[in-house]
Amino acid sequence: MVIPSPWIAIVDDDPSVLKALSRLLRTRAINTKTYESADEFIGSLPENTTDGLPECLILDLQMPDMNGLELQRYLDDAGIRIPTIVITAHSESDMRELCTAAGAEAYLLKPLEDTSLLDAINAIRAKTARSTRSP
Amino acid sequence: MGLRAEAHQLFDWTIFNPRFLLLKVAHQTGSWFVNSGDQQSQASPCCDTHVRKLLLAACALLLFMTAHCRANDAPQRVLILHAYNYTFPATTAVSEVARRQLIERSSRPIEIEAEFLDLARFPSEAHAARVAQFLHDKYEGRHFDLILSMGFGAIPFLIKYRDQFAPNVPVVFAGGTKDHFAGYKLPNDVTGVFSSFDPDKILELAERLQPNARHLMVIGGSSPNDRSWQRSAREAIERRAPRLEIITRYDFSYDALLAEVSHLPSDTIVLLLTVYSDADGRSLIPQLVATDIAKAASAPVYGPFETFLGSGVVGGYTETYASLGASAADVALEILSGTDPSKIAPHVNPRQAFRVDARAMDRWGLKRTDLPPGTIVQFHEPGLWEQHGLLVVAVASVVLIQSVLLIALLFQRRQLRRTQRSLEESEDRLNFAATSMNIGFWQFDRSTGALWVSEPGRAMFNAAKKGLWTRDSFLAAVQPDDRLLAASALEGNLKVHSRAADVRVVASGGEIRWVSIRSRSNLDEVSASDSVSGAFVDITDQKASETEAELHRQEVAHLMRVSVLGELSGAIAHEVNQPLTAILSNAQAALYLLEQDTPNLAEVQDALRDIVKEDNRAGSVVRRLRGLLKKGEPRAELIDINEMIGSAAALLRSELISRQVRVETELSASRPTVFGDSVQLQQVLLNLIVNAMDAMAATPEKQRRIWICTRETKTGTTEVIVSDSGHGIQPRDSKQLFSPFYTTKDHGLGLGLTICSTIIRKHGGTINLQNGEAGGAIARVSLPSRLMLTAAQ
């Protein structure tokens, strides 16, 4: 049995941002897959299994058709638990609260520092590791 | 001897009366043959007997032939016998008319002899016998066709002596009343025209003119003829008694009578009959008697004869002697043409009438209104009116017309003055109003180049108040750059009726003033008018206001742009943050790679390339923002409308995403371009898109759609259409959408569309908003295409 290496999904409607974040994480040996819309990401999810899910979702909040918050809610409604880091240019506190309420692990403002992003990823990894070790 | 003398007298009178000269010649011509025969027999006593016989035979033959040839053309001979002599106007008047009529109306030549019996002055039988013998001797061997008897006195003479000098020659008499003829039995071949003596009518006239008369004096002569007239008048006279006291003076001494009539009471009627002689045997001429009595009398005198009129007698019931002569001539001509005289009965001259002498009436103060109807008024001295009536009427008419004209002219003058005064007042008011509003009037004559400018107008151009102004002196006051424009407005144009041009003038203080030249062409090829008129309006203040308003408008527009961008700040920040995020991540990745022992330089290079690209992207957003936020003068440039729409959409990308609004475009492939200020037009577009987004706030997210279309129309304009799927325009708002401070938004200022409208108008275009057929609103902006603008410029 081949255990798939962990990867992180990045969803942002801006291809430049997708490419830059993907490059940043790749230099740190983190695999990424990029999606330009929520629909594209949902379409990539395996059906009826949690296998193959990304270890983390970096999600842009402001996107056409379905924004980041709506995607969070969709996944929640679908019972799909993916730790999510929300990245946005919006600094409004109400939006931060909404995202947190929807299950966001981190809420980072653009332009984001690499350390903040890596810290958030590491925090999720640690949390995930703790949860998998617990009986 | 007496007979010879009278004959000589008659002969002389005939010779020297020019009227008879022709007759005399005819007479001599007619007598020539007999005389020549006599002369011939006396002139050749020693000629040979045979020769004489031959000559006599020839003469006889000649006479016979001539007589035969002249049978039809032989003159008819008429002897006019005057009862009196030539000094009696009545007989000469009658005979003159008769003679002229005979000559003029007879179809054959007429030879007339005239004799004056003078029986009034010489009433004795011996005189009559002598005259008869004279006539016999004189006309022996001469045949008359007719005797025309003038005056009744000749009738007894003719009855008695006609056979002695003119046997069986028919007689036509003229004159004498029927009463005169009463005692005579006229032969069958004696006929003629009676005078009608109607004393009753004369007295009727007198009584009408003198209704208060109490006395009637009747005057008559002592001759048999006079007695005859008196008998005729007796009955009419006696009828007037006793109303009138009758006084007859038939036998009087002429001088005593004149003395008596000079002392008559004024209420006396004097009836003058004939007076051929007085009681002293003094022979008188009735007309002269009438003159004397009328002159001496102290009361009006009336008489039966026409000849009395003009001698001072008031009038009477008379005939004219001319009419008597004409009537007698009619009868004579009838007989000369062959009518049997016995078939023509003697008859009364029908032409009688009341006749009066106007002067005599005036002398006695008798009124014309008392005259019987049809009275003939003679010797009427026409008054000014009658004499120069036409002239008076003409003069009066001229005076009247002149007066009317004068009055009309005076009225017109008054009206003119009033109009002039009104005009002056109106002009004063106009000048006052014009001066108050900085308006000057002008008129330019193109043919002479003369320019009239009102005082306020001259002041605008720093010209002297008086003095000649020309086109050139006017243009000299205008700024050189504007002179062409000024000249064009001043000179007018046949095709353009009115025009206006704003030009600059350097005022006396050196400041620039704006003057608008409004011109109205009176140029007309038909009427050959060659003048242009108009007004100068000082619009310096208006220009300043316009500039100020433009600055304010720009300021407001800028504030609105800032306001819109402020509302979009979050979205715009997002638009900047996206490239910054990419830049930062790429830079950190590159740095990390470079820190490795074996850095992946290709990756580093790629990261750097992305950094540059994203930096440009962020820069472009900043530039757009800076363009929209900057203040400054509008700048005209060529704008690619499609590109401008793309730019606006890019700027609003985040906002559109944030509001879940999808933008669809249908841009013209011909890439339409317009000439204008890109910032202002971008502002319009942003405003319309933001309005569309706002309008769709309540629209379900999936249905939020903005459709932007560009196209070029056939009329050469470029249209930009922005439609949405929002709530559309409410009817109550439709008319006020472009009004300032009118808004349908909770937080709006109500200036967005007002500014959009102003900007589009400034670009020569139009903007309108309406509801779409499938819902939502459609904003349609039409702008002149670049080509149109170029052509217009």
Side-chain angles (χ1 to χ4, degrees):
Chain A
M1 179 181 177
V2 178
I3 298 172
S5 55
W7 57 283
I8 289 175
I10 308 172
V11 182
D12 196 313
D13 64 324
D14 190 333
S16 301
V17 173
L18 278 182
K19 188 180 177 186
L21 290 178
S22 176
R23 175 178 283 138
L24 178 68
L25 295 179
R26 197 168 58 245
T27 58
R28 306 303 169 92
I30 298 172
N31 292 328
T32 60
K33 284 186 183 175
T34 57
Y35 303 92
E36 292 191 11
S37 69
D39 286 340
E40 186 184 351
F41 174 70
I42 291 168
S44 71
L45 292 175
E47 290 181 8
N48 303 322
T49 177
T50 56
D51 294 338
L53 288 178
E55 61 174 332
C56 173
L57 174 62
I58 298 172
L59 180 60
D60 183 25
L61 197 57
Q62 190 178 44
M63 288 186 296
D65 298 331
M66 181 182 282
N67 61 27
L69 187 61
E70 287 168 337
L71 179 58
Q72 267 189 280
R73 287 173 179 162
Y74 175 83
L75 293 173
D76 189 43
D77 291 347
I80 301 169
R81 304 274 182 252
I82 304 172
T84 303
I85 300 167
V86 173
I87 55 171
T88 179
H90 292 285
S91 60
E92 291 87 351
S93 56
D94 55 342
M95 187 58 75
R96 178 188 290 266
E97 285 168 9
L98 284 172
C99 292
T100 307
E105 297 294 333
Y107 190 88
L108 302 177
L109 288 175
K110 288 179 180 175
L112 39 88
E113 287 290 336
D114 55 351
T115 50
S116 303
L117 182 61
L118 290 171
D119 287 347
I121 291 169
N122 288 332
I124 287 170
R125 280 178 172 175
K127 191 175 178 180
T128 304
R130 277 196 303 274
S131 65
T132 51
R133 281 197 299 271
S134 60
Chain B
M1 282 298 288
L3 180 65
R4 299 276 178 199
E6 285 165 17
H8 179 71
Q9 183 188 18
L10 291 178
F11 177 78
D12 283 348
W13 177 80
T14 310
I15 289 278
F16 291 104
N17 187 331
R19 297 179 185 203
F20 281 64
L21 193 58
L22 182 65
L23 298 178
K24 191 66 191 174
V25 171
H27 177 187
Q28 288 173 340
T29 307
S31 308
W32 182 82
F33 291 104
V34 175
N35 291 338
S36 68
D38 292 340
Q39 287 167 358
Q40 189 68 35
S41 63
Q42 291 169 5
S44 52
C46 57
C47 289
D48 184 73
T49 308
H50 295 289
V51 174
R52 190 181 299 168
K53 284 179 180 174
L54 276 173
L55 279 172
L56 283 171
C59 285
L61 182 62
L62 189 61
L63 279 170
F64 173 75
M65 288 174 66
T66 305
H68 181 74
C69 289
R70 290 168 63 95
N72 291 330
D73 295 333
Q76 289 183 302
R77 295 181 177 184
V78 174
L79 174 63
I80 297 178
L81 278 186
H82 293 267
Y84 315 111
N85 68 22
Y86 65 92
T87 60
F88 284 68
T91 52
T92 51
V94 174
S95 71
E96 172 58 20
V97 173
R99 183 194 64 78
R100 193 169 60 238
Q101 199 147 318
L102 282 174
I103 292 169
E104 287 174 356
R105 291 175 53 189
S106 172
S107 58
R108 294 171 61 181
I110 296 279
E111 278 186 10
I112 295 174
E113 299 287 351
E115 296 296 343
F116 294 88
L117 303 179
D118 208 4
L119 297 174
R121 289 198 303 150
F122 303 96
S124 68
E125 191 56 40
H127 170 71
R130 278 198 302 275
V131 171
Q133 184 58 44
F134 164 74
L135 294 174
H136 169 265
D137 295 344
K138 183 175 179 181
Y139 298 113
E140 186 179 11
R142 186 167 304 184
H143 171 74
F144 287 105
D145 295 296
L146 187 88
I147 294 172
L148 200 52
S149 164
M150 298 292 164
F152 172 74
I155 293 298
F157 174 82
L158 280 168
I159 291 173
K160 191 169 183 180
Y161 296 107
R162 179 176 57 160
D163 290 343
Q164 200 171 328
F165 60 92
N168 301 321
V169 175
V171 174
V172 173
F173 62 82
T177 65
K178 279 185 177 177
D179 290 343
H180 286 120
F181 286 84
Y184 299 93
K185 181 174 178 1
L186 296 177
N188 285 340
D189 57 354
V190 174
T191 186
V193 182
F194 297 121
S195 283
S196 175
F197 172 55
D198 194 340
D200 198 49
K201 289 265 189 185
I202 301 168
L203 290 173
E204 181 193 329
L205 172 70
E207 285 167 331
R208 289 183 73 129
L209 291 175
Q210 292 178 260
N212 300 321
R214 292 288 173 268
H215 314 283
L216 170 62
M217 173 178 269
V218 185
I219 300 170
S222 303
S223 73
N225 197 12
D226 294 330
R227 300 292 182 204
S228 172
W229 286 98
Q230 289 156 19
R231 280 193 300 276
S232 298
R234 181 182 305 144
E235 189 183 338
I237 293 163
E238 287 173 353
R239 253 204 313 276
R240 263 64 188 180
R243 189 167 52 80
L244 295 176
E245 183 198 356
I246 310 296
I247 308 157
T248 56
R249 291 293 181 266
Y250 294 155
D251 292 298
F252 54 81
S253 161
Y254 190 53
D255 295 333
L257 178 69
L258 290 177
E260 184 183 357
V261 297
S262 65
H263 293 96
L264 291 174
S266 60
D267 57 352
T268 304
I269 293 169
V270 179
L271 174 61
L272 175 61
L273 303 176
T274 57
V275 180
Y276 288 103
S277 66
D278 66 357
D280 299 335
R282 183 176 170 185
S283 183
L284 298 164
I285 295 171
Q287 189 205 19
L288 298 178
V289 171
T291 305
D292 290 343
I293 287 178
K295 188 178 178 184
S298 56
V301 180
Y302 303 85
F305 305 111
E306 182 201 6
T307 47
F308 285 10
L309 288 174
S311 61
V313 169
V314 171
Y317 188 73
T318 70
E319 62 193 344
T320 62
Y321 291 115
S323 70
L324 188 61
S327 298
D330 288 344
V331 177
L333 284 166
E334 213 174 334
I335 293 170
L336 287 173
S337 64
T339 305
D340 182 354
S342 63
K343 305 289 184 196
I344 304 170
H347 54 275
V348 176
N349 180 17
R351 302 174 177 113
Q352 288 196 317
F354 286 110
R355 287 187 170 79
V356 292
D357 183 336
R359 296 168 300 183
M361 284 188 69
D362 291 343
R363 176 187 168 195
W364 299 111
L366 304 175
K367 290 185 285 187
R368 305 259 171 105
T369 50
D370 292 336
L371 289 170
T375 302
I376 298 165
V377 179
Q378 296 181 337
F379 305 108
H380 168 63
E381 288 181 356
L384 182 66
W385 173 253
E386 290 163 289
Q387 203 168 5
H388 305 291
L390 196 62
L391 186 64
V392 169
V393 169
V395 169
S397 301
V398 169
V399 169
L400 185 68
I401 290 169
Q402 282 183 335
S403 301
V404 169
L405 282 175
L406 200 62
I407 290 167
L409 282 172
L410 285 172
F411 182 72
Q412 195 180 21
R413 189 181 166 199
R414 191 175 162 195
Q415 288 289 95
L416 193 67
R417 280 186 178 170
R418 194 177 292 173
T419 307
Q420 207 168 3
R421 202 160 45 242
S422 170
L423 198 64
E424 284 169 3
E425 287 171 4
S426 172
E427 194 176 335
D428 281 348
R429 284 198 295 272
L430 192 64
N431 276 335
F432 176 73
T435 309
S436 304
M437 299 180 70
N438 278 339
I439 294 175
F441 299 110
W442 59 270
Q443 185 161 22
F444 177 59
D445 190 331
R446 298 202 327 165
S447 56
T448 62
L451 178 65
W452 170 86
V453 182
S454 69
E455 222 172 271
R458 286 174 175 248
M460 287 180 208
F461 290 86
N462 307 316
K465 287 185 179 180
K466 305 287 178 191
L468 186 68
W469 237 38
T470 62
R471 172 185 177 280
D472 293 340
S473 53
F474 157 72
L475 289 178
V478 177
Q479 280 275 74
D481 291 347
D482 296 344
R483 281 177 189 164
L484 197 63
L485 200 60
S488 172
L490 189 75
E491 287 163 358
N493 191 319
L494 262 179
K495 291 175 183 168
V496 184
H497 183 63
S498 61
R499 60 197 309 174
D502 296 347
V503 300
R504 288 162 295 174
V505 176
V506 182
S508 53
E511 67 192 285
I512 299 289
R513 296 201 69 80
W514 280 91
V515 175
S516 176
I517 305 170
R518 315 273 168 87
S519 67
R520 189 187 60 184
S521 296
N522 303 323
L523 308 177
D524 187 348
E525 283 173 343
V526 178
S527 67
S529 172
D530 205 18
S531 70
V532 185
S533 59
F536 295 135
V537 185
D538 189 329
I539 55 167
T540 309
D541 294 342
Q542 182 189 330
K543 281 279 181 189
S545 299
E546 281 176 7
T547 307
E548 196 175 348
E550 175 64 16
L551 288 172
H552 284 157
R553 195 188 61 75
Q554 287 176 17
E555 186 72 23
V556 171
H558 175 255
L559 287 174
M560 287 304 295
R561 285 200 300 275
V562 171
S563 167
V564 169
L565 293 174
E567 287 179 25
L568 300 173
S569 61
I572 291 167
H574 187 268
E575 282 307 296
V576 178
N577 271 335
Q578 289 294 88
L580 289 180
T581 300
I583 287 168
L584 185 59
S585 295
N586 278 319
Q588 287 169 338
L591 283 173
Y592 188 80
L593 285 171
L594 289 173
E595 288 168 1
Q596 304 305 309
D597 295 337
T598 52
N600 184 348
L601 293 179
E603 186 70 24
V604 171
Q605 191 178 18
D606 193 36
L608 289 175
R609 247 190 231 109
D610 283 348
I611 287 171
V612 171
K613 183 181 147 200
E614 291 308 304
D615 187 80
N616 285 336
R617 180 182 160 194
S620 120
V621 174
V622 171
R623 274 196 301 279
R624 282 191 195 116
L625 272 176
R626 193 166 53 199
L628 285 169
L629 289 171
K630 76 175 177 183
K631 281 170 129 181
E633 291 285 319
R635 193 160 55 96
E637 59 188 335
L638 204 59
I639 301 165
D640 184 327
I641 288 289
N642 290 356
E643 196 177 295
M644 190 178 75
I645 289 167
S647 175
L651 197 63
L652 294 171
R653 198 184 73 90
S654 294
E655 185 69 16
L656 289 164
I657 290 168
S658 167
R659 299 202 199 187
Q660 293 298 316
V661 175
R662 197 165 61 251
V663 173
E664 293 172 7
T665 57
E666 187 181 327
L667 305 180
S668 170
S670 64
R671 300 191 70 81
T673 52
V674 297
F675 205 72
D677 184 89
S678 61
V679 174
Q680 290 184 355
L681 293 179
Q682 183 83 302
Q683 180 178 355
V684 173
L685 198 57
L686 285 175
N687 226 314
L688 294 179
I689 295 171
V690 169
N691 280 353
M693 287 193 291
D694 290 344
M696 294 186 290
T699 306
E701 289 182 356
K702 298 289 181 191
Q703 296 172 20
R704 293 176 188 171
R705 188 180 69 92
I706 291 178
W707 180 72
I708 302 175
C709 161
T710 60
R711 65 185 182 196
E712 284 185 302
T713 66
K714 288 177 181 174
T715 55
T717 57
T718 296
E719 277 190 354
V720 180
I721 298 164
V722 179
S723 64
D724 61 57
S725 53
H727 53 60
I729 303 160
Q730 297 304 311
R732 65 174 182 275
D733 302 326
S734 59
K735 289 186 177 174
Q736 302 181 76
L737 288 171
F738 295 98
S739 303
F741 307 110
Y742 185 83
T743 181
T744 57
K745 302 175 186 175
D746 295 337
H747 56 284
L749 284 174
L751 288 173
L753 282 178
T754 308
I755 289 169
C756 287
S757 173
T758 307
I759 290 171
I760 296 302
R761 261 204 325 274
K762 279 256 176 195
H763 282 76
T766 58
I767 179 170
N768 65 69
L769 271 167
Q770 61 190 63
N771 283 323
E773 287 179 6
I778 299 174
R780 190 184 305 270
V781 175
S782 289
L783 289 164
S785 71
R786 177 175 58 89
L787 286 175
M788 271 180 72
L789 275 175
T790 307
Q793 284 163 354

